[in-house]
Structures are given as C-alpha cells and as structure tokens.
C-alpha cells in the first residue's frame, strides 16, 4: 500500500505526505491509542461495521491516557467515512490512531500535541492458517498477558502491543498461526489481537474483561448474535486445560473476524479432527450475515458510506 489518501488532523492528505517526526513521543514511549474497524460490502452498498462503538472506544482509550483528541465522536465517524470514500474502496480495514506528537521529549506526554490520523487498506486474511478443513493452530504463549495493574487493558493502546508482538512472533517462529495468552494468574485472556471463545455442551464462554481481555467489538457482536439465536453465553474465567477439552474454540476480532481453532499446544480441538465445529460455523455465518446487512435485527450496526 503506497497510494491513496490518509485523513490527518482534519484533512485528507496524500499517502506520501502522511508522515511523522522521528521525535514523535508515541514512537519513543508508546503513547498512542488506536482502533481497527471494517467496512463491508452489504446488500445496500458499503457500510462500516459498528462505527460508533469503535470511535467511542477510541475516545475512551484516549481518556485513560489524558488525551484530548480534539474531535467529537461524530466528527471522527465522518472522517472515517470520508477516508473510505476518498480511497474508493467498497471493502476495507480502517485504522484510526491518536498519538502524542513531537514537542518535548521525556516520559511525560502531556506537553506534546495530540494528532489523529485515519488510514484504510485491504486486509483480507489476518490469520493465515485455518480453513474449512482444519481450524487455526495455536500455542499458549510463554509471555503472560499484561496485567491490568500494569497497563489499563480497557484502553486499546499502542503500548499493549509490544506484549502482543512478542507472543505472536514466538508463535509464528514455532510454526503456529497465533498465540493464546494467559494472565499472571494463569487464566486464559485472549490471543495476541483477538478475543477467545470456547464452546462446551452447546454453550459459549469467554474470559471476562477483568481478566485483562480487551472489550472486543466482535466479541460483543458474537455474544449478542448467540443470545439472539438461543445460544447461552457467559463471561467467566477459563483455564488453560479447559481449552484442550473444549468441544470448539474460536477467536474473534475485527481483523481476524471469526476464526475457528483446530489445535492448541498440539492437541486437536473437538472430536472431528480439528474441523470447525457446528456452533462456530453457525456463529461465523450469522456474523457474516450481520456484517453484510443480511440480518435485519442487526442493521443498526451498519453505517452506510454513501
Ligand atoms: C488484544 C486484542 N484483543 C481483542 C481484539 C478484538 O477486538 P475487536 O473485536 O474490537 O476488534 C483485538 C483487536 O482489536 C485486540 O487487539
């Protein structure tokens, strides 16, 4: 990706001009917050999925870091729409980011101006492995997930992703598709950039946000879709070994969408050779219907681009 437009502090600029200074505070001290959003082709034109919820989370993440983004939620929503339009894309991934810029070095970010940018790109398959025949292969990372007493995990902050990157690289180098992370109490939290669900005896469970998991928008969508379709879903602590004996496991995230898991730490999930399970397939297809505007119940999640 080298062309198109990027929205930067209120204006659309050429891709090549969307630059930052090497002394940008966020580059040195990870003082940025960001979002990941998707725009889908729907039955009535392109639409952005849960735009309000993502922009609210961006503002909330900023609040945690004393960051005044200088734009209202409505202005940020319009900026995302304008960026998608300016790039002429009918389906894309949208990346808003707010960060402390260049001004005064030192750990205290407050003397620096906050900048906000929005970029878009095509992002088809975030987790390579895993398909119809077999779900993705995961390993439990040797890196513990950040403790909420160390970094506030309700903020989707750039700082959190050094921890994620260590886990993801470890998993990829070991030949797996993605990492699952445990918290410092040894309970399952999430994958490096996705929430995790287990299915046991027809019911869903996912770790609570108090475990350190991000309050994922896809996670919330799946819980609402599941409940609307009579599938029970609870937020509760999940142990590592519970993953191994689950009937089904899947990941959720804006980039990864609904990703079936076939293997964890070399143990096959379920009793069908690691193939995506019935409930995973059902929820994946219901999620795709909602995202593509085919389920009237969830039309409110879609913001038309045109
Ligand atoms: C650490 C982490 N957990 C979970 C998620 C899933 O969140 P969402 O569904 O809002 O994309 C993401 C991606 O944003 C993430 O980075």
């Amino acid at each position: 990706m080298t062309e198109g437009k990027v929205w930067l502090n209120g204006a659309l600029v050429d891709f090549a001009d969307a630059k930052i200074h090497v002394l940008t505070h966020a580059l040195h001290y990870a003082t940025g917050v960001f979002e990941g959003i998707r725009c889908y082709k729907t039955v009535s034109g392109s639409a952005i999925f849960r735009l309000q919820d993502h922009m609210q989370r961006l503002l909330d993440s900023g609040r945690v870091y004393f960051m005044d983004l200088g734009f209202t939620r409505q202005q940020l929503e319009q900026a995302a729409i304008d960026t998608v339009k300016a790039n002429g894309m009918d389906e894309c991934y949208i990346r808003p980011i707010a960060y402390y810029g260049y001004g005064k070095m030192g750990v205290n970010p407050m003397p620096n101006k906050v900048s906000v940018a929005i970029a878009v790109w095509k992002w088809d398959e975030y987790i390579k492995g895993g398909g119809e025949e077999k779900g993705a292969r995961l390993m439990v990372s040797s890196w513990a997930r950040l403790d909420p007493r160390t970094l506030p995990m309700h903020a989707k902050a750039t700082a959190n992703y050094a921890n994620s990157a260590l886990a993801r690289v470890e998993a990829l180098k070991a030949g797996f598709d993605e990492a699952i992370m445990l918290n410092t109490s040894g309970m399952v939290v999430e994958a490096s950039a996705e929430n995790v669900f287990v299915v046991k005896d027809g019911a869903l469970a996912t770790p609570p946000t108090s475990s350190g998991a991000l309050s994922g928008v896809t996670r919330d969508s799946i819980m609402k879709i599941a409940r609307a379709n009579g599938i029970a879903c609870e937020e509760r602590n999940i142990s590592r070994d519970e993953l191994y004996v689950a009937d089904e496991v899947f990941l959720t995230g804006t980039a990864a969408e609904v990703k079936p898991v076939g293997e964890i730490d070399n143990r096959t999930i379920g009793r069908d050779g690691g193939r995506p399970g019935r409930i995973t397939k059902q929820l994946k297809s219901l999620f795709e219907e909602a995202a593509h505007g085919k389920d009237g119940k969830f039309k409110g999640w879609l913001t038309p681009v045109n």
Side-chain angles (χ1 to χ4, degrees):
M1 189 183 60
T2 52
E3 50 191 35
K5 297 280 186 189
V6 174
W7 185 93
L8 186 58
N9 295 321
L12 286 160
V13 301
D14 285 340
F15 185 94
D17 296 328
K19 289 181 181 156
I20 58 162
H21 196 272
V22 290
L23 294 184
T24 294
H25 196 275
L27 181 63
H28 295 252
Y29 304 111
T31 48
V33 296
F34 69 102
E35 270 306 314
I37 314 175
R38 270 194 192 267
C39 174
Y40 289 100
K41 248 192 283 190
T42 77
V43 286
S44 41
S46 290
I48 304 179
F49 188 69
R50 300 197 66 172
L51 178 59
Q52 295 84 352
D53 299 295
H54 281 287
M55 288 308 188
Q56 187 57 52
R57 188 170 67 183
L58 182 71
L59 289 169
D60 289 348
S61 299
R63 183 136 49 118
V64 173
Y65 281 90
F66 300 106
M67 235 184 221
D68 178 4
L69 272 60
F71 295 95
T72 63
R73 198 188 79 191
Q74 287 73 16
Q75 287 172 324
L76 294 168
E77 288 166 19
Q78 190 57 48
I81 294 169
D82 293 346
T83 315
V84 172
K85 271 194 202 162
N87 286 280
M89 289 181 170
D90 49 12
E91 285 203 306
C92 60
Y93 179 87
I94 306 167
R95 167 59 55 84
I97 182 162
Y99 56 94
Y100 283 104
Y102 164 58
K104 191 163 176 7
M105 290 307 262
V107 168
N108 175 19
M110 302 302 285
N112 298 285
K113 210 169 123 304
V114 172
S115 277
V116 186
I118 304 178
V120 299
W121 63 83
K122 289 260 172 240
W123 211 357
D124 293 333
E125 181 105 285
Y126 179 68
I127 297 177
K128 288 271 178 285
E132 291 288 304
E133 278 308 298
K134 184 161 183 182
R137 294 181 62 240
L138 270 49
M139 67 172 272
V140 171
S141 181
S142 67
W143 296 101
R145 189 66 176 137
L146 292 164
D147 188 291
R149 292 167 298 184
T150 309
L151 278 172
M153 301 303 283
H154 264 92
K156 188 170 164 67
T158 56
N160 306 355
Y161 287 83
N163 177 245
S164 288
L166 285 168
R168 187 157 168 94
V169 170
E170 179 186 44
L172 295 178
K173 280 189 179 290
F176 293 89
D177 300 315
E178 174 59 309
I180 288 264
M181 304 187 77
L182 310 181
N183 61 22
T184 50
S185 305
M187 303 309 277
V188 174
V189 182
E190 58 188 345
S192 76
E194 301 84 31
N195 291 111
V196 59
F197 283 84
V198 299
V199 180
K200 189 75 179 175
D201 300 328
L204 286 182
T206 190
T209 56
S210 57
S211 70
L214 183 73
S215 182
V217 174
T218 320
R219 172 185 184 273
D220 180 70
S221 306
I222 286 295
M223 292 197 289
K224 291 193 166 119
I225 290 171
R227 286 173 185 144
N229 286 276
I231 301 169
C233 181
E234 61 173 333
E235 294 175 69
R236 62 170 173 81
N237 283 319
I238 294 171
S239 63
R240 176 181 188 162
D241 53 344
E242 209 179 326
L243 295 174
Y244 301 157
V245 297
D247 296 332
E248 304 174 31
V249 176
F250 63 88
L251 305 178
T252 63
T254 297
E257 301 172 300
V258 177
K259 190 76 185 177
V261 174
E263 211 182 286
I264 299 175
D265 293 339
N266 298 307
R267 287 144 177 104
T268 301
I269 302 301
R271 284 170 197 80
D272 192 21
R275 279 181 199 80
R278 182 179 62 82
I279 291 182
T280 304
K281 284 198 287 195
Q282 184 189 358
L283 290 171
K284 184 175 165 61
S285 118
L286 288 168
F287 174 79
E288 282 162 9
E289 282 177 20
H292 292 91
K294 293 179 189 161
D295 187 337
K297 288 193 293 304
F298 300 113
K299 275 258 161 70
W301 285 347
L302 298 169
T303 301
V305 170
N306 287 303

